[in-house]
Amino acid sequence: FLLFQPLAEEKKISLTFVPTPPVSHAKVDRARFKQALHNLLTNALRHTPKNGSVTIYLSQQHNQLRIAIQDTGEGIAPEHLRHIWNRFYRTARARDRHSGGTGLGLAIARAIIKAHDGQVSANSDGIGKGSTFTLYLPAR
């Protein structure tokens, strides 16, 4: 989280962490899990405009640890939501050089979360309405 604070400040984006106790732990490969979170947070910051916000929610639901990354960014059109996890997939808007990306970040994040017996999903009410990426891991 703190690693992303300078980028958020540079873009004038409010970056907030909201833990909801009590929260158990999840057994993860730290390096790989860090990579998955890095990919999700990088996307959120990349697609959130100046003066927007990115909020990370941490909670526990039943026997699962839940992490939700919610942004006030560009949003995702409904027709793209089911494809964003595919390798090399980028929405037409994300293809320009300024917003960059190879189209691998979300596919990698999903593979890492699945390798930890977890699940990840994406939701958006459409273009201009932000996005929420939520991941669930077994609590231990």
Side-chain angles (χ1 to χ4, degrees):
F1 171 75
L2 294 176
L3 179 69
F4 292 92
Q5 196 64 47
L7 178 59
E9 288 175 4
E10 180 182 312
K11 288 188 71 179
K12 297 188 184 334
I13 294 173
S14 167
L15 181 60
T16 308
F17 177 65
V18 181
T20 304
V23 176
S24 293
H25 298 279
K27 185 176 180 181
V28 297
D29 174 321
R30 279 187 162 195
R32 297 288 67 89
F33 187 71
K34 186 177 176 181
Q35 181 181 9
L37 285 179
H38 180 273
N39 291 355
L40 294 171
L41 281 169
T42 298
N43 275 358
L45 290 168
R46 179 182 293 141
H47 296 286
T48 298
K50 182 178 178 180
N51 298 320
S53 67
V54 174
T55 306
I56 305 158
Y57 297 94
L58 174 65
S59 61
Q60 184 170 339
Q61 293 182 341
H62 308 288
N63 293 330
Q64 294 187 315
L65 184 65
R66 177 183 177 268
I67 301 171
I69 300 170
Q70 183 178 41
D71 66 58
T72 59
E74 297 170 4
I76 304 167
E79 64 270 17
H80 293 293
L81 274 174
R82 65 186 177 126
H83 301 290
I84 62 171
W85 304 107
N86 297 339
R87 292 183 329 166
F88 304 113
Y89 186 83
R90 296 185 293 177
T91 63
R93 195 161 191 216
R95 291 183 187 274
D96 70 13
R97 290 183 183 186
H98 299 294
S99 60
T102 60
L104 288 172
L106 293 178
I108 291 169
R110 182 180 189 207
I112 291 169
I113 300 306
K114 287 181 119 184
H116 286 87
D117 297 322
Q119 298 175 349
V120 64
S121 64
N123 294 297
S124 178
D125 289 333
I127 300 298
K129 298 184 179 179
S131 303
T132 302
F133 288 80
T134 306
L135 60 95
Y136 296 90
L137 293 168
R140 310 217 191 250

